Amino acid sequence: MSTGRLRMKKKACSSDQSPDNLPLRSSGRQVKKKAAEAADDDDEASEKKYRKCEKAGCTATCPVCFASAAERCAKNGYTSRWYHLSCGEHFCNECFDHYYRSHKDGYEKYTAWKRIWTSNGKSEPSPKAFMADQQLPYWVQCTKPDCGKWRQLTKEIQLTPQIAKTYRCGMKLNNSTKTEGSDQCSMPEDLRVAEVSDHWWYSMLILPPLLKDSVAAPFLAAYYPDCVGMSPSCTSTNRLPGESNLVKLEHLKSVPNLTVAGMNKYFQPFYQPNECGKALCVRPDVMELDELYEFPEYSRDPTMYLALRNLILALWYTNCKEALTPQKCIHHIIVRGLVRIRCVQEMERILHFMTRKGLINTGILSVSPDQYLLPKEYHNKSVIIIGAGAAGLGAARQLHNFGIKVIVLEAKDRIGGRVWDDKTFNGVTVGRGAQIVNGCVNNPVALMCEQLGIKMHKLGEKCDLIQEGGRITDPTIDKRMDFHFNAILDVVSEWRKDKTQHHDVPLGEKIQEIYKAFIQESGIQFSELEEKVLQFHLSNLEYACGSNLSQVSARSWDHNEFFAQFAGDHTLLTVGYSTVIDKLAEGLDIRLNFPVQSIDYSGEEVQVTTADGTVWTTQKVLVTVPLALFQKNAIQFNPPLSEKKIKAINSLGAGVIEKIALEFPYRFWDSKIQGADFFGHVPPNSSQRGLFSVFYDIDPERKQSVLMSVVTGDAVTTIKNLDDQQVLQQCMTVLRELFKEQEVPDPVNFFVTRWREDPWLQMAYSFVKTGGSGEAYDIIAEDIQGKIFFAGEATNRHFPQTVTGAYLSGVREASKIAAF
């Protein structure tokens, strides 16, 4: 039976032609088939193993998934798709699914992040944005001086400023700060780090860096964080309460100026949405023209630049008493991924640019030679500055801090120019020149006061107008005439809209014409007192212009008002501007009693000749002498100045105002003006307009008894031929009329200024003469052949007539000189 069964088996197989050889032949065919399949599989495996990133231009030949989120993460193996973030950073399709698919474990984390991002941000909350914002590892640089290598932190470690500030290679960050060994710095750096510096690397970056917990966040709560370079996922960048990404920007008009707790209230470096013009503010969401010129690579997407620039500005204004260096900024750059390396590299470039432009690291900072604010390539210049006023010293301080060799030549026996403080009034400082700061928000004078720890006294608004005879003018009359006065100026503004320089007329003439037309057309008759009050307001206008209105351009008298001006409080610098000026000058090479006679720039180098015959040779010269000296050719130029520049110089006026200060044995005015910082004098007639029109109480603490008054307009000519005692008697006559009901004591000390007679000044501040224009300021400011530069209040079209404007013109020219 067994044989039968065997036969039956054979019989069952007999249908094959070669039953004896069937198993062997069948096995051979299967082996060949499997071999072929294996070969195909090897080809597919090879293709899967070396699948490249689909991003055109990506240099990663074998991408690696950084996420390792999914159980089946491709790591460096096969995935159906690589998602590109940068040339050194990819994640696989499996990890994408882990967060993106609703049935996967990571979906809830992704959707929670997405909700926060959507409520705060404006950009799309995509999976790539999630990976960049939440999953990329942090990179940190070793702080050991002879190392500086970049290391990738493990995924679970959150980078903090403290870690960035103290990190050393091999440092354990989980439970201790001990290093794993002394040779950790010898370990090679990841090869991807070197690629980050290449120009093409940034162009291949899919998403711009958005900083986490930026110091700028408190300033910018009214903006979408991702529009100003910050991550919307951080609690520090939450937008204003109740605001969402659907809110219309009009609702933000009432946003208060946001400052950091404990920071000077006058520091407001960023515009708030829909805010009116404010001097020295930047738009945190837009690059300015000079920034685009310097960093054209960011014109397509400025996010990285804005993030770093905003961070730098915020850091500077939170501590302006010390120089801001790249090292102080770096540990505040918190952003995931290799892009942090690029941010740190760019930080230095941006910080040096902002330093050179005077946006940061300015004021009275003093640095030692080993801490110069700009790199060595800027140091190979020599500059002579003519004039040690606010402009010259401002420029000299900047250039010295940059590392550039500077000598200041001053004609007078003192520094300060039109800043000159008198300290003989029983401990009260009285400025013979400037002493009031007009608009403190972002004013560099306020910055320097903060650096020096000086408190500025806010001037109150109350100003009683007192008539000769002692009566205080009814405030409603003052308001009424102030309204009419401003209405007249509004009509002047309308009149000039379609007028060229050829149609210009004197401002005083135009005001009189409009005033007469108004009287005729309205039939209104002003009282004698109202007419006198109008004269008071006209004297204030002459104070602002520094001249009688018959000399001033009706078309361009307030040309700078078209630019954003300094906002905020008007303050009295009780310690005097000289405190700031002296600090600016500290440590500088200043030569007093060296009046300059000629400047020869015909050769390769510039030769400056002083009155004693000394010839000074230098590469560049900055001229900061007053406009009046230009007009009188006090310095000879070879070659001569261009006709264009000479015409501009002569189209401006050298305005003059004078001051008188008086110290009394007691404060006789207190009971009448009731704590006001100043009071006005209503002139008895138009011929006495500008003769002691306002009196300032110079001691805000109300301990000393010092008044200061000004002489403006035609009144300057009136006192020109009087000696100081005669001017004093005129002033006392006025004061005794204003306080007729009481005894006014004789002063125990006084001075009268004579700015017009000072041979090296001859003026107070500039104005636009009839037929001129504000463009003249820009023309005077133009450098000559990159050798001769010009600064001073009469070169600052935006902020003329002020110490602030003079100082800023010096900072401006220092920037230009450094860049040449």
Side-chain angles (χ1 to χ4, degrees), residues 65-110:
C65 180
F66 65 78
S68 298
E71 285 185 18
R72 300 183 62 190
C73 172
K75 302 193 185 314
N76 63 341
Y78 171 78
T79 184
S80 59
R81 181 182 175 185
W82 285 112
Y83 291 86
H84 174 106
L85 291 181
S86 77
C87 287
E89 294 161 326
H90 299 79
F91 61 97
C92 67
N93 196 59
E94 286 70 25
C95 287
F96 169 85
D97 284 350
H98 176 77
Y99 290 111
Y100 192 68
R101 305 300 175 191
S102 59
H103 61 284
K104 297 286 186 176
D105 293 344
Y107 180 73
E108 191 173 320
K109 185 175 182 181
Y110 171 63

Side-chain angles (χ1 to χ4, degrees), residues 33 634 641:
K33 184 177 179 183
L641 298 179

Side-chain angles (χ1 to χ4, degrees), residues 117 123 133 208-212 225-227 229-232 303 307 334-335:
W117 189 281
S123 55
D133 188 67
L210 297 174
L211 304 188
K212 294 176 180 288
D226 38 349
C227 290
M230 302 187 299
S231 169
T303 308
I334 307 297
V335 63

Side-chain angles (χ1 to χ4, degrees), residues 548-670:
N548 181 287
L549 300 181
S550 63
Q551 304 294 318
V552 180
S553 164
R555 180 176 170 271
S556 301
W557 73 274
D558 61 344
H559 64 98
N560 60 311
E561 293 297 323
F562 295 102
F563 306 106
Q565 295 297 298
F566 291 106
D569 300 337
H570 298 312
T571 58
L572 180 72
L573 204 51
T574 51
V575 298
Y577 269 107
S578 59
T579 306
V580 172
I581 292 293
D582 291 345
K583 196 67 180 177
L584 278 174
E586 203 171 85
L588 299 177
D589 186 354
I590 301 171
R591 316 291 177 93
L592 300 178
N593 298 305
F594 272 94
V596 170
Q597 288 186 331
S598 66
I599 299 172
D600 188 331
Y601 60 98
S602 58
E604 191 170 321
E605 292 193 305
V606 184
Q607 292 190 326
V608 176
T609 305
T610 48
D612 65 347
T614 305
V615 178
W616 311 70
T617 302
T618 186
Q619 292 172 317
K620 301 178 188 303
V621 170
L622 173 59
V623 185
T624 71
V625 301
L627 175 72
L629 298 192
F630 279 122
Q631 292 176 337
K632 296 185 178 179
N633 299 314
I635 298 175
Q636 300 298 311
F637 290 85
N638 182 37
L641 298 179
S642 67
E643 285 297 319
K644 180 183 176 184
K645 194 177 283 283
I646 291 170
K647 184 179 178 182
I649 287 169
N650 291 317
S651 73
L652 298 182
V656 181
I657 66 163
E658 301 292 0
K659 283 184 164 188
I660 183 170
L662 312 98
E663 181 185 355
F664 294 96
Y666 58 88
R667 299 172 59 84
F668 64 86
W669 59 88
D670 267 354

